[in-house]
Amino acid sequence: MATTTNSSCTVSSFKNAIALITGANKGIGFETARQLGKQGIIVLIGARDKIRGEEGVKKLKEEKINAKYILIDVTNEESIKQAAEQTQKEYGKLDILINNAAIHLEGEPPSKTSMDKLRQTFETNFFGVFAVTRAFIPLLQKSTIGGGRIVNVSSQLASFGNNLADRNKLAYSTSKVALNMMTYQFAKEFANNKSTIKINSVDPGSTQTDMTGNNPKFGPIEAAAEPIVYFATLPSDGPSGQFFDKQKQVHAW
Ligand code: NDP
């Protein structure tokens, strides 16, 4: 277990890198795109809705960020395939993939959670991430920054070590636990293949977004995006296969 901070790392080599962020039309995904864009990274704003995606791009362009909308519904394999083909055609590579899109549907106790809700949640938060990651690995292998970077946006609710009292989130929590193990499994494969791709899970911390009903007790999106950006722009000697738990400020399993 190693302590980490969010201090900025060397990112000069990431200038003009290409980053795809899923669910980037709002919330933490949008802010992550904004912070990456501010570093000179070209950001592909992944969104399942054209109007919402293009609105996000417009806002980023007003800040002189090089942003482009890309249609991607993580539950639709055809849209993932087309997004990968489009990225290959237009850029020939991908440097950074942020698997951010997720849903959180329930608040009821586990015994009242429907199979449908559980399946729907896993469809987006786990299977969706897997499908996107698998489709974009060939492009990440062509990264020109010395190795692609993947960040899976996770949650502190994926850890036994955190205070889960009064939280009825069976589907959401288990989907993020499974996501973390996916991170670990891909990291092992990359290490075994001597691939320079790094993959990590990052908890952005409780944040004021639509997902949390913009709860004023929670933190701002700016702070949530910071650890995601940090892991997206790791130097070549940075970690892989870790779960960054924001509450504890550690890489932890
Ligand atoms: P929001 O609900 O604000 O945003 C979620 C984004 O995901 C939206 O852009 C949404 O698109 C998109 N999305 C959902 N389903 C799909 C899909 N099938 N295909 C493509 N995009 C999709 O959530 P947050 O910004 O709060 O969450 C971002 C990430 O942070 C998530 O992974 C979440 O689990 C994680 N997280 C959030 C915390 C918080 O306190 N907010 C705490 C810990 C983790 P659309 O607008 O079309 O619905």
Side-chain angles (χ1 to χ4, degrees), residues 178-190:
L179 173 73
N180 284 352
M181 184 47 73
M182 188 194 326
T183 298
Y184 181 73
Q185 292 294 329
F186 270 117
K188 262 174 52 172
E189 181 185 344
F190 296 148

Side-chain angles (χ1 to χ4, degrees), residues 5-19 32 34-42 93 95-96 98 143-147 149 151 225-238:
T5 67
N6 291 335
S7 61
S8 64
C9 59
T10 311
V11 292
S12 53
S13 61
F14 284 89
K15 198 162 168 38
N16 295 321
I18 314 291
T32 300
R34 201 178 75 81
Q35 291 184 18
L36 289 171
K38 285 279 177 198
Q39 296 186 14
I41 293 168
I42 298 161
K93 64 154 189 175
D95 300 299
I96 296 168
I98 313 283
S143 165
T144 53
I145 57 162
R149 302 285 180 266
V151 178
E226 277 173 17
I228 300 172
V229 169
Y230 175 89
F231 279 87
T233 53
L234 282 175
S236 52
D237 60 351

Side-chain angles (χ1 to χ4, degrees), residues 71-85 123 127-136:
L71 172 68
I72 186 161
D73 178 338
V74 305
T75 62
N76 180 329
E77 285 210 54
E78 187 52 33
S79 96
I80 296 169
K81 186 169 164 266
Q82 283 181 14
E85 283 171 4
E123 204 56 58
F127 298 122
V129 174
F130 176 70
V132 172
T133 303
R134 203 174 53 169
F136 279 89

Side-chain angles (χ1 to χ4, degrees), residues 187-195:
K188 262 174 52 172
E189 181 185 344
F190 296 148
N192 289 342
N193 295 346
K194 305 219 181 318
S195 165

